[in-house]
Structures are given as structure tokens and as C-alpha cells.
Amino acid sequence: MREPDDLLSDLDPRLLEGLESDRWRVLYRVSGLLSARAADLPQTLSTILSVVLAATRGERALLLRKNEDGQLEVEAIRGSFPGDPREHRISWTIVQRVFQTEQGVYVPEISDDSELAHAKSIESLSLRSALCVPLKTGVFEGEKIDRERRRLPPFLGLWREVIGVIYVDSTRPRKPYDQDDLGLLQALANIAATAITNARLHADATRDPATGLLTRRYFEILLGKVHLLSRRHRFPYGILLLSVEPEHPGGPEAAARGLAGALRSSDLPARYGARSFAAVLPYAGAEDVRIVAAKVALAVPGIRIGASAVPDPAPDASRAVEQADRALATTCVPGGPTAVFWSAEVGNLGPRADRLAGLVSASESEDHRRLEELVDEHARLKERGTARATILGDSPVLVAALERARKVAPTQATVLLAGESGTGKELFARAIHEMGSRPDGPFVVVDCGAIPENLLESELFGHEAGAFTGATGRHIGKFERATGGTLFLDEVGELPLVLQVKFLRVLQERRIERVGGKEAIPIDVRVVAATNRDLEAAVREGKFRQDLYYRLDVVPIRLPALRERGRDILVLARSFLDRFAREFAKPLSGFDDEATQALLAYGWPGNVRELENRIQQASILAEDTRITAADLALPGFEAPRKESFQEARQRAIEEFERDYITGLLAGQGGDVAACAREMGLSERRFRELRAKYGIRREEFEE
């Protein structure tokens, strides 16, 4: 943490003048300062505290953040402190109250507060008044919203967090703090929390958590910037690619520390792979690169180094990385040197490095084998990633359904999902499975309406060899395949009555018999059923068994139609647009105003499935970067006619006249003569205007 004496040494004090009297300028001033300081978190926080002191007339201010152990630590300080500033002597009574209750506190006069007046920390500091507010991240719109957020499912990403507090106090006589001071300080604290959150996200995106070095992606971005600057200002730079042996003492973390210590302060090291690193060396010619490579080799025993230098003027940046890559490969040849500087002779040698994996090999066939393994692993990860249930939206009806799903998920109770076609019943079923106690178990889907009736029994329960014509071998049914997981029965209302009896028995006894078999096979399956039919009506009509209905309807969840979800439509549309823009390689940036109106106004009888198809069609046909209403081609939607200049001017005049005459009559108590004189009109003309706008004089008579 920076010491208080050097905080904001570059901040012009004149920027803080007048903030006490012109409070409305405070947030404007802070936002202006932060726009230039977003990348420097300590300086950003100190800037906020300086503005806090100037605006609240405080004597001292601290910003405390929660550490990994959940305890508060001082992150930034401003103002004078008695004794050694590093003691951070403050009222921990007030700080802990705010941190635990998550509510701001203002104490106009501490001596009048019976609870605080006798606190040891306050007595020792002789405090007169204090302010303290929490640093909150997340969505905060009042206590009611906060209580609702606590009940949301975790995959919506809306959990809140209090990450610290801002504390201000004074020992001098002053105007007592009030609610306005507390509101201003909370607004500044929200800005500070945003700055801290952004800095945390920036660190996660740019720094490897294990080594503290740059990530490979961020390194490539910085390399591109260095390359552009080298072309503009005509300076050389160097590239190092490094590989650590698996048996290196201390592992990659120790190698990273040695690498960072051996490089110059201007160099940019990065984690390049599981056992590899990279560094760009600005303003380094060939000889400088050789010297730095030699220092790194001494600092990190067992490391292999490939180096290259990009001369002035710089050629392509990727070419420099490829050269260092080739040089690195030659170090892995048995008996090869520790460090190799690229040259034309090196480039003509056989071995090469596998840059994609961050690994090094000495043969072309070995590289191909590794690349195939990488592709296979990527495909497996992609398949697992796309299998995860992602439910977008925060409309009240959706949140209510999600909350019900969250409650039932940890149990093994049967769930019945009811909703129109295309509302995402399978997605909800998968979410219940993944939030349940056996998320790694199988998730098996059966579409009861798509399988022919004569095959459905075999699909559900399986069959033995010879059970019927064509049954040449044993077939394991869906129930057995779902053992240890979830069986999702889509369109369960389409089950034939004869199968409903067998299905009911399975739910009751938790055993099945394969078609043609004699053995009862125990099953351990969680059943989630879905339907777009009114099963109660089907029961009354004799098309669905009542006892089976009650077995399925243990925990019913109604899924809202898309037209009921309000602005969730725009969230889903944007998600689909981003996906199709990537798929079709088109620079689609969003929807214009008319397209947005069309999306919200349309009834969506096909629900989410129809929305996805419409966005896919529009993405293909769009000729601009923004989707238009014409691209969507939604039935029955007509874009509103644009108002002409003359029409807009006439409307503005009439609105002004109506408002002016209404205000004038109210001020004159309905006296028409006085109003006419005020406007410079005849009484007759004034009455005509009043009648034109339907304004009655009697409403204003006293």
C-alpha cells in the first residue's frame, strides 16, 4: 500500500476547490478524474478519498477492503492521523457496525450517541463526528431488491458482495453530518467499489493467477502494440520464448520468479503455456537480447531459451515469434545448447516448436500427435461446455420459476414442467439436473411424441434378444441408461394409455422389466417430465390416467411464455445475435430502434425457438451492421411513420400554448381579461385558443 505522504502527489489541489459548496460537482469531478486513472487502482482510490475529504469537510478518511480471511485491511488513507499514520487509528466500533449490517452510518455528534460515546477507540481519539458507508458490488436498488437477490439461483450471476467500507471522521467542531452527507459518501463509495471490481476483473483477464505474469492472450495484445510503436518510432525489440523442464525444482512458479527477476523493468514477461513462458523486450537490439537471455539462463537453471530480435524497421510481429519458436526447438535436440539466438541457419534446421500447446518437440510426427490430442481435448471440453444449462433473463415470472427449480433440485422429487412449445422446458430440466445432488450423472432425454407407439416401450424399458421380430440382441432402455442421473420425458402427455400403466408401476416400485425379460431390474433415476398440454383436462377427458398425473405432479413448475417475460426478449435476442454473428462471420452490432420495438411488440407464439429462428434469418439477410425491423420481418408489425419537421414544429407550438395558457389561467384565477392582456391578445382570440385546447375557465376560478 502507498504511504500517505506520497498519495496523489500529482493531483492539482485546485481541482478540489469549491466542492464543499458545490456538491453537485463532486460526482462529475470524480468521474472526470477516474477516466484518466482507471488502470492505477491505488491512485484511483486515493483520488476518491481526496474528493471525499473536500466534499464532506472531513479531517481524515480511510478505505478498508476485505481480505481473503474476511477481515478488513486499510487500502488507502488521506488526511492527518495522530501519532504514526501507519497505525490507522479509527473507530473500529463504527467500521464493524457498517461492515456487518451493510448499512451506512452518520453520527452528527458522537457525544450524543449513548452506544458510541463510551467506546474505547472513540474516547482515545476524541472524535466529534463520523461517517461510514459500505463498499458494495452487484445490483443495489433498495432493501427489497437486495432481499430478492439473495434468493436468486447462483447461475444468474446476481449475488451481491460487500468488499469493504469508506470511513470519514473529524475531531474538530464542525457542522454536523446529515443524511445528504451520507448519500454523497455512498455514491462515492459505489464508484470506488466499481473501480475495485474493474481492477480485479482486469487483473483476472491479464494476469496468470499462479505466477503473476501476463496471460498469453494479453501478451499477444501488448506484442502487437509494441510492434506498431516500433514501426512508428523506428526502434528494435526482442522476443524470448522459454521452456521449463518437468522436473524443474519449484515448478513453473519458481521459474516465473527467476524470469521476472532477471528481466529489465521495461520487459514484459508472460505465462505462455503449462511449462513455457515468453517475454517481449522493447528497445532491445540483437546484442541486448543475447545479454538478457544469458542472464535468464543463469537465474533459472534447466530452462531452454529461444530468442530473436526484430531490427529497425520492424517486419511482421508474428515472424519474430516464429523465429524465436524455431530457435527454442533447436535447444531440445539431445545435447543442444541452453539458449539459441535465431539465425538463417537455425531456420533451416528440421526441429520446430509446437507453439499452439506451448510445448516443444524434436520431430514432426510428435508434433502432429500432440496437435491431434489437443484438438480432441478441445472437442471434449466444447461438448461439455455446451451441455451446461444457461438460462438468460431476470423478469419476475422467470425468476419465480428459477427459484422453484432451485428449491427442488437437491431432492429426488419428480418434477412436472408445464408450458407452451418453445419455452425451454429441456433447458430447465437440464438446469434442475445440474443443480441437483448428481450433476455428473447421465441426463437422458426421451421425446414421447416423436417415437412410434410400437417402439416406445422398448425405448423406455429395453428388450431382450428375441423379444419380437427384429430383436436380434439385448437393448438397454432409457431408464437403465439414466441410472444415477435424470430421465427427462418430453411431451409426457403423448404417452399411450397402455404404457401409462407400466410407467406408473415403475415410478411406484422403482423397478423395470425389459420387453421379453423376466428379471426385475432396480433403477435409481430422477424423473423430470414436461408437457405443453393441459393434463388436468386430459384426465377429465379420460386421455391421461389420474393416478399417473398425481405421481408426476409432485412439484409442478410453470414456464412463462416469451411474451410474458418483457425485456428478457431483448437479452435473448442479443445472445442469439452474438452467436450467429460469430457463426456467419458478420460484423453485427445490435438492433435499431424499430427492430427493438418490433421484438417487444410481437406475440411470439413459437416462444424462444421462434425468436432464435427469426434472429438467425435476420443475421443472414442483414445488409447493415444493425438488424432492422425489415430484416426480422415479423408478421403484423408496421414501423411508426416518422414525423415531418413541420408536424413536429406544430406539435411543439401547440404543447407550449396549451401549457402556457393553463399556467396563466391558474395564476390569474381564471380572469380571461387579465390573461388576454398578459399575452397581448384580444379577449376573443384568447377564448378561441382556450376552446381549441379544451381548457375550461371554471377550473381556475377562485
Side-chain angles (χ1 to χ4, degrees), residues 127-141:
L127 297 182
R128 300 288 296 270
S129 55
L131 279 169
C132 190
V133 295
L135 290 167
K136 304 177 183 179
T137 62
V139 181
F140 297 90
E141 300 178 15

Side-chain angles (χ1 to χ4, degrees), residues 152-300:
L152 289 175
F155 51 79
L156 281 181
L158 294 174
W159 295 110
R160 76 177 196 163
E161 181 186 12
V162 176
I163 59 174
V165 301
I166 289 183
Y167 168 89
V168 183
D169 68 4
S170 178
T171 60
R172 297 191 297 257
R174 61 177 306 285
K175 178 183 175 182
Y177 288 128
D178 54 23
Q179 189 67 40
D180 290 341
D181 293 306
L182 185 67
L184 176 65
L185 186 59
Q186 185 63 71
L188 293 170
N190 292 343
I191 295 176
T194 300
I196 292 170
T197 302
N198 289 343
R200 183 189 300 169
L201 293 174
H202 182 267
D204 291 343
T206 60
R207 294 285 174 179
D208 174 62
T211 62
L213 303 183
L214 301 175
T215 61
R216 176 168 178 167
R217 174 60 182 152
Y218 195 55
F219 170 80
E220 291 170 346
I221 293 173
L222 292 180
L223 175 59
K225 292 182 178 180
V226 170
H227 175 72
L228 291 176
L229 289 173
S230 74
R231 292 184 63 88
R232 184 180 305 164
H233 301 290
R234 302 181 68 82
F235 64 81
Y237 66 91
I239 299 289
L240 297 182
L241 291 184
L242 313 98
S243 178
V244 180
E245 298 296 336
E247 60 274 9
H248 184 276
E253 291 77 9
R257 290 192 295 270
L259 172 64
L263 294 176
R264 307 170 304 173
S265 59
S266 59
D267 298 334
L268 304 171
R271 181 81 176 265
Y272 210 62
R275 296 186 289 105
S276 61
F277 303 92
V280 58
L281 285 51
Y283 294 99
E287 189 59 32
D288 298 319
V289 175
R290 293 177 189 273
I291 293 173
V292 172
K295 289 178 61 178
V296 171
L298 291 174
V300 188

Side-chain angles (χ1 to χ4, degrees), residues 373-516:
E373 290 176 355
L374 280 171
V375 172
D376 291 342
E377 178 64 17
H378 175 72
R380 287 194 295 271
L381 291 175
K382 183 177 180 181
E383 182 179 356
R384 289 182 59 189
T386 54
R388 301 291 295 181
T390 303
I391 300 176
L392 300 177
D394 60 359
S395 59
V397 288
L398 178 67
V399 170
L402 288 170
E403 174 64 8
R404 200 170 175 87
R406 183 187 65 81
K407 289 178 178 179
V408 73
T411 72
Q412 292 300 307
T414 303
V415 179
L416 180 61
L417 302 175
E420 299 176 6
S421 294
T423 51
K425 293 187 284 292
E426 182 176 342
L427 197 61
F428 255 81
R430 190 178 292 276
I432 292 171
H433 169 72
E434 291 173 356
M435 289 188 293
S437 58
R438 301 185 292 190
D440 295 328
F443 179 80
V444 179
V445 179
V446 179
D447 189 343
C448 300
I451 302 174
E453 182 176 342
N454 61 334
L455 296 179
L456 187 55
E457 183 179 8
S458 173
E459 280 298 306
L460 285 173
F461 309 121
H463 64 252
E464 298 288 355
F468 50 84
T469 303
T472 57
R474 172 181 290 178
H475 172 69
I476 303 300
K478 300 293 187 181
F479 269 102
E480 286 185 78
R481 293 181 187 275
T483 295
T486 300
L487 178 66
F488 174 55
L489 294 171
D490 198 9
E491 303 305 342
V492 71
E494 305 300 325
L495 275 176
L497 282 171
V498 64
L499 277 184
Q500 291 180 27
V501 177
K502 295 184 178 181
F503 189 71
L504 175 63
R505 186 179 301 117
V506 170
L507 291 180
Q508 290 174 336
E509 300 177 0
R510 295 290 166 175
R511 295 174 179 274
I512 65 165
E513 286 186 12
R514 301 190 189 108
V515 178

